[in-house]
Amino acid sequence: MDKSGREHAQALDFEDPLKDIREQFIIPTKTDLLGKQAIDASKEDSSRPCIYFCGNSLGLQPQRTAQRVKEHLEAWATKGVTGHFVQYGPNLPPFLHVDDVAAQKMAPIVGALPSEVALMETLTANIHLMLASFYRPTEDRYRIMIEGKAFPSDHYAVESHLKHHGQRPEKAMVLIEPKDPDSAILDTTHIFNMIDAYAATTALILLPGVQYYTGQYLGIQAITAYAHSRGILIGWDLAHAVGNVDLHLHDWDVDFALWCNYKYLNSGPGSIAGLFVHENHGHVNLETASCGEDGYRPRLSGWWGADRSTRFQMGNKFVPIPGAAGFQLGNPSALALTTVLASLEVFSLTSMTAIRRKSIALTGYLADLLLQSRNHQSPDNVYSIITPLDAAQRGAQLSVKLKPGLLDKVLKVLEEEAIVVDERKPDVIRIAPAPLYNTFAEVWDFVQVFEAACRDAHAGTVQGTDSAALAGQDAKGWNTIK
Ligand SMILES: Cc1ncc(COP(=O)(O)O)c(C=O)c1O
């Protein structure tokens, strides 16, 4: 079979062991996205699903989420406060235990012990909570090391903690920039060298598991071990890694990690976030006081992190729950956690190993098609892939840098064709096929439209171009994608 044709993509879908999981999701149609007026009913099927390659930003809604939310609302309506103590149907734990159950179900996704995971707050709030606990500057070790192009929240959070401790960020914040100014990739050896250069004065490192802009998957295990060998604690922002790559946070000895659940975890915009604290840091030992002056790691605390057996005694002596749960602040929204649980039900249909296996194949297929294309090979550099080409160094996302001036024209065509990707101005498109709901045929269809759009934008002819023609003659069957 011709490996460059759509039939090959369809054959890959046929063989895909995860193919049925797509049915677990609501895929918006072209009409959903663009409205009826944008559809030419004589030409195309308005119920055609869009091609959604934006799970790195906001994952799609699982079919079962609405039902679970409805069940939760029924539980609240019919049980009132007693809903805290009774299981409502087979899927909804008592409100009081919903955080605990969600943490248990999340643990295998991040490779953690259940006691090392808490579902709470937002990602940014959890960065602050972890910095409050893990950044304990001394006269000698006061620096925090992050990447120069860190997500703004991470940068702001680190900067604010430095100031909070009376440090000057210009001195105390070490920014790791790519060694090669023409590449946005952070080379591991370069990170090691930076750690060495600042080892004596650095208290903490915060890095991304998968970098949001480039899609680079950093060597979490190796970098963690290196930081520890220099006596430095290290935390990971896993916003773009969780549910995307298979993680082994406990075995990798990661000190702490945080993530949001609305990207590859499909729990809805702004849903409750996640936190990992290695069991080494979660001990509570009031007898020996060996884990800090109070017998546990210092933290910002609230009643929901306090020992469950005394939680309702309303005393004033804070004794934390051992593990990540002891970092919780207040009573979490059971409604919000219901959407996380619904998504975790879908993850329980497979494993992170199987998800990652498909992801490597799916994004590898996308990379292969783009690398073979004329636009990529053209001496004009119509676009280049800035994500590492080595599958071990990337997750689902490929970031493609367009020649200056092309981005808006290309995005317009993609939007008209109901292809959802996201952009990072001035000229990067992030394309993330999610292994739970995307197909090889969608990758193939995307590439046809993308290639034609780049070619036409480059030639300055995108205005008025017929979108069917843009898809090219190979794109037959486009309207029948399921
Ligand atoms: C890498 C990274 N860090 C932090 C955040 C901030 O997350 P939140 O707004 O949920 O706190 C995001 C959001 O997309 C992110 O991608």
Side-chain angles (χ1 to χ4, degrees), residues 122-125 127 151 153-154 212 237 239-240 260 262-263:
T122 63
L123 168 50
T124 304
I127 297 175
F151 194 88
S153 244
D154 302 50
Y212 78 96
D237 178 339
H240 289 260
C260 51
Y262 47 77
K263 299 179 186 291

Side-chain angles (χ1 to χ4, degrees), residues 22 43 51 55 59 69 73 76 105 130 152 177 188 203 218 278-279 314 330 344 354 363 428 471 481:
R22 178 174 165 87
K43 277 200 195 149
I51 295 182
V69 168
L73 293 175
W76 173 30
K105 296 193 172 180
M130 289 294 94
E177 299 289 357
T188 304
L218 276 77
H278 198 283
E279 70 170 347
M314 300 306 177
L344 292 174
T363 298
V428 166
I481 304 160

Side-chain angles (χ1 to χ4, degrees), residues 147 149-150 186 208-218 240 397:
E147 37 149 6
K149 303 282 181 305
L186 292 170
V210 172
Q211 215 280 346
Y212 78 96
Y213 179 77
T214 62
Q216 178 188 0
Y217 177 18
L218 276 77
H240 289 260
Q397 171 187 329

Side-chain angles (χ1 to χ4, degrees), residues 16-328:
D16 170 17
L18 300 190
K19 61 175 178 286
D20 293 340
I21 296 187
R22 178 174 165 87
E23 287 162 22
Q24 298 288 332
F25 290 89
I26 302 171
I27 318 275
T29 64
K30 187 170 181 182
T31 318
D32 288 337
L33 290 183
L34 302 180
K36 277 205 179 73
Q37 66 288 354
I39 310 290
D40 182 346
S42 65
K43 277 200 195 149
E44 55 182 322
D45 173 7
S46 61
S47 64
R48 163 167 88 68
C50 74
I51 295 182
Y52 194 84
F53 284 163
C54 217
N56 59 323
S57 179
L58 180 69
L60 288 180
Q61 187 180 129
Q63 296 275 5
R64 65 185 77 205
T65 300
Q67 175 61 24
R68 294 289 174 267
V69 168
K70 186 166 165 274
E71 287 165 7
H72 168 77
L73 293 175
E74 276 167 14
W76 173 30
T78 57
K79 301 289 177 194
V81 72
T82 64
H84 280 96
F85 313 107
V86 289
Q87 172 95 18
Y88 193 78
N91 299 297
L92 291 191
F95 308 154
L96 199 56
H97 302 307
V98 64
D99 51 347
D100 210 21
V101 172
Q104 283 172 31
K105 296 193 172 180
M106 180 67 77
I109 292 175
V110 293
L113 304 175
S115 62
E116 292 173 321
V117 175
L119 290 175
M120 54 190 267
E121 313 296 333
T122 63
L123 168 50
T124 304
N126 289 338
I127 297 175
H128 279 293
L129 292 173
M130 289 294 94
L131 288 175
S133 181
F134 283 81
Y135 177 55
R136 320 290 306 169
T138 62
E139 213 165 298
D140 293 336
R141 286 190 185 257
Y142 57 90
R143 289 193 155 109
I144 303 181
M145 192 177 286
I146 60 169
E147 37 149 6
K149 303 282 181 305
F151 194 88
S153 244
D154 302 50
H155 189 104
Y156 301 153
V158 166
E159 200 172 38
S160 63
H161 279 262
L162 291 170
K163 288 183 182 166
H164 181 70
H165 283 277
Q167 302 287 344
R168 282 188 300 115
E170 333 59 280
K171 182 170 179 223
M173 183 151 60
V174 179
L175 301 180
I176 309 177
E177 299 289 357
K179 193 173 174 198
D180 172 1
D182 292 332
S183 156
I185 299 304
L186 292 170
D187 173 63
T188 304
T189 314
H190 175 56
I191 295 176
F192 290 171
N193 291 340
M194 286 290 291
I195 293 175
D196 281 341
Y198 291 93
T201 54
T202 298
L204 184 70
I205 301 174
L206 178 67
L207 286 174
V210 172
Q211 215 280 346
Y212 78 96
Y213 179 77
T214 62
Q216 178 188 0
Y217 177 18
L218 276 77
I220 298 177
Q221 183 176 20
I223 297 168
T224 298
Y226 204 85
H228 288 171
S229 74
R230 300 296 184 269
I232 304 170
L233 294 170
I234 181 161
W236 293 89
D237 178 339
L238 302 177
H240 289 260
V242 70
N244 176 13
V245 290
D246 44 345
L247 299 162
H248 303 278
L249 301 182
H250 176 83
D251 290 348
W252 293 345
D253 220 15
V254 161
D255 294 305
F256 67 88
L258 357 89
W259 59 90
C260 51
N261 288 316
Y262 47 77
K263 299 179 186 291
Y264 298 96
L265 257 298
N266 310 312
S267 302
S271 63
I272 285 202
L275 179 72
F276 166 90
V277 179
H278 198 283
E279 70 170 347
N280 296 339
H281 299 292
H283 296 301
V284 177
N285 192 338
L286 305 181
E287 304 300 308
T288 64
S290 63
C291 319
E293 63 187 48
D294 293 320
Y296 54 85
R297 174 166 274 283
R299 66 198 69 194
L300 297 180
S301 37
W303 80 307
W304 214 255
D307 179 14
R308 290 190 184 101
S309 64
T310 56
R311 191 184 264 162
F312 290 98
Q313 289 171 13
M314 300 306 177
N316 279 334
K317 166 102 183 103
F318 178 73
V319 177
I321 303 167
F327 288 81
Q328 293 176 105

